[in-house]
Amino acid sequence: MEMEDQMESQKTRGISKDNLISERPIGSLGCVGWFLVLVSGFFVILLFPVTIWFCFKIVQEYERAVIFRLGRITNRKARGPGIFFILPCTDSIVKVDLRTVSFDIPPQEILTKDSVTVCVDGVVYFRVSDPIASVVNVTNADFSTRLLAQTTLRNVLGTKNLAEVLSDREGIAHSMQSSLDEATDNWGIKVERVEIKDVKLPVQLQRAMAAEAEAAREARAKVIAAEGEMNASRALKEASLVIAESPSALQLRYLQTLNTIAAEKNSTIIFPLPMDVISNFMRK
């Protein structure tokens, strides 16, 4: 019973492409319909030199034509590209562009999961994959896709916190693309790509984040400087132990320092003092 109820509800809604296109068999125009078609064909033959210009239609390589005969689709597949024949009085055509269309999502003020207000905009690329569905299942596929992109952007970003919005743009774009593609499938629309263009933060929040980043950098700089001082003190301690074990090492270090000072152009005056004299005083 549940299965039958679902099938009945689908028929009443008329959402899917199969329900809208194949509810009636192709060519079931009825007696009156076929009579009108025959009359139209008769007038086309009767006024052949004039009607020839109204019977042949041309669509471009990037277009397809959906033909309605007395309000019904004549074929489940769109016609084109190239030239084809129609009956002027009973047939009407709707041309559908198959090229990829891009549009900008207007800036949307969104409240993130952690209660931060941001302004986000993006761009969407889509194309018509099923011309018949884009004409039969929706009034204006282009306008409907634009509105759906705005609401999808709000819904997706509403489940993210500020850090995810700023760092995981690619993941958000893929999530939006899959949601849009699934929602517009019944409209004959294929969403090819979604990109997040810009995320604008309030001025006060920008200043707070800048101050936080500056404080973090200063803290890291102090930690690095302290670690450098600690490593330098350890190195000096090891050097003092080596010099203490060998008194001649201190004399060599003293001579090396004199050599370094003499290499520079300065007016420094040095009075060499034997280390033995200093050592005698130190013993006393």
Side-chain angles (χ1 to χ4, degrees), residues 62-97:
Y62 53 84
E63 293 178 335
R64 296 295 183 271
V66 180
I67 303 176
F68 292 90
R69 178 166 294 169
L70 297 178
R72 299 183 180 179
I73 296 177
T74 59
N75 195 347
R76 293 182 183 178
K77 185 178 180 181
R79 301 292 296 274
I83 188 171
F84 55 90
F85 178 84
I86 65 170
L87 293 176
C89 300
T90 59
D91 293 355
S92 62
I93 65 171
V94 178
K95 292 184 179 180
V96 180
D97 197 331

Side-chain angles (χ1 to χ4, degrees), residues 236-254:
L236 289 174
K237 179 181 178 182
E238 294 177 358
S240 63
L241 293 176
V242 173
I243 292 175
E245 294 177 356
S246 178
S248 60
L250 183 60
Q251 187 69 23
L252 293 175
R253 180 60 181 167
Y254 173 70

